[in-house]
Amino acid sequence: VQLQASGGGLVQTGGSLRLSCAASGSGFSLESMGWYRQAPGKQRESVATVDWNSGVVTNYEPSVQGRFTISTDAAKKTVHLQMNSLKSEDTAVYFCHARWRYYGRTYVRENWGRGTLVTVSS
């Protein structure tokens, strides 16, 4: 399973960006997809995660609640992160994350996409 992320870039404070991440491969089913971020000098943190089967968002990092929205396109095995009202503290490398399993198997695996840089300038 490979994860291909897109949508990062430079935006001014208060602006919006949309990140997308598509999972590709064969013979697998997704368990969850989500986004993490890592700011310079800080640990990677979870931003938002969605359970793939139910579509239920299982977490939003408190600082993004109400500003970021995670959504899915099941047919395209894609997860989006709509980021509004961006702040300078949202500047980070954003990583797509997926938990998945091969059909007929119980072992859950996880993959990370290559990071995409989001820079919010004041």
Side-chain angles (χ1 to χ4, degrees):
V1 171
Q2 293 188 334
L3 302 178
Q4 182 66 46
S6 61
L10 174 65
V11 64
Q12 290 188 329
T13 300
S16 298
L17 281 175
R18 188 188 194 214
L19 305 182
S20 297
C21 177
S24 62
S26 62
F28 73 98
S29 60
L30 288 163
E31 295 289 318
S32 68
M33 290 191 78
W35 292 93
Y36 286 69
R37 67 185 179 186
Q38 188 165 17
K42 295 187 177 181
Q43 291 188 332
R44 190 175 297 190
E45 64 177 3
S46 175
V47 177
T49 304
V50 59
D51 180 274
W52 196 260
N53 296 309
S54 67
V56 173
V57 178
T58 57
N59 82 285
Y60 278 114
E61 203 277 325
S63 70
V64 309
Q65 187 79 41
R67 299 188 297 122
F68 291 11
T69 303
I70 189 170
S71 62
T72 63
D73 182 335
K76 296 181 179 179
K77 292 185 176 177
T78 297
V79 64
H80 305 288
L81 185 69
Q82 179 65 42
M83 305 185 293
N84 298 329
S85 302
L86 283 160
K87 305 175 181 180
S88 59
E89 51 263 45
D90 295 317
T91 294
V93 178
Y94 284 70
F95 296 90
C96 178
H97 176 261
R99 298 175 67 250
W100 59 276
R101 68 178 74 190
Y102 284 115
Y103 290 139
R105 302 295 180 89
T106 58
Y107 182 71
V108 178
R109 302 169 185 266
E110 62 177 352
N111 278 43
W112 293 91
R114 297 179 68 178
T116 184
L117 179 62
V118 172
T119 303
V120 184
S121 66
S122 56

